[in-house]
Amino acid sequence: KDTKNAQLEARREQYKKFIQLLQKFSTGKVKLDEKARSEFFDAGVSLLLYGSKKVYKKYVFFREYTTNPVIQKSKHNQKKSLFMLLQIY
């Protein structure tokens, strides 16, 4: 029982970090530099270990979509990014 509680607490912490990253991204405070890429990578690793498959797949698609330079130039980029964030939440 203690092990299960420890796992649930670790999962909560990782999801908390992930939600904070998504909040920073949705407010526009994240610029796509090496630090941001590192944060995205760390969040992906945490989700791979602690998250559900559904959330992880949506996150990977979101990460690929937001880091693609061709898509960033699209006029529909902001609306689609927001829609993907809402799906992840």
Side-chain angles (χ1 to χ4, degrees):
K1 188 174 181 178
D2 291 334
T3 305
K4 187 168 184 152
N5 286 338
Q7 288 174 342
L8 287 174
E9 187 61 35
R11 181 176 284 187
R12 284 187 194 113
E13 278 298 315
Q14 296 305 321
Y15 269 112
K16 186 178 176 181
K17 286 184 354 184
F18 177 64
I19 289 172
Q20 289 173 350
L21 175 67
L22 292 180
Q23 286 175 342
K24 282 189 343 186
F25 185 82
S26 66
T27 58
K29 293 181 180 178
V30 175
K31 295 181 181 179
L32 291 177
D33 57 358
E34 284 302 315
K35 183 179 177 186
R37 291 178 196 268
S38 175
E39 287 180 14
F40 272 123
F41 179 75
D42 291 341
V45 170
S46 297
L47 281 179
L48 180 62
L49 294 174
Y50 296 103
S52 69
K53 288 181 184 180
K54 187 176 179 180
V55 171
Y56 181 71
K57 286 180 182 180
K58 289 183 186 255
Y59 168 74
V60 169
F61 181 73
F62 172 74
R63 184 182 64 199
E64 291 298 321
Y65 184 86
T66 55
T67 57
N68 188 332
V70 174
I71 294 174
Q72 288 178 355
K73 295 178 183 178
S74 171
K75 65 180 181 178
H76 302 291
N77 182 29
Q78 295 232 346
K79 291 179 185 178
K80 182 68 176 170
S81 296
L82 180 61
F83 179 72
M84 287 188 297
L85 278 175
L86 293 175
Q87 283 184 329
I88 292 171
Y89 281 134

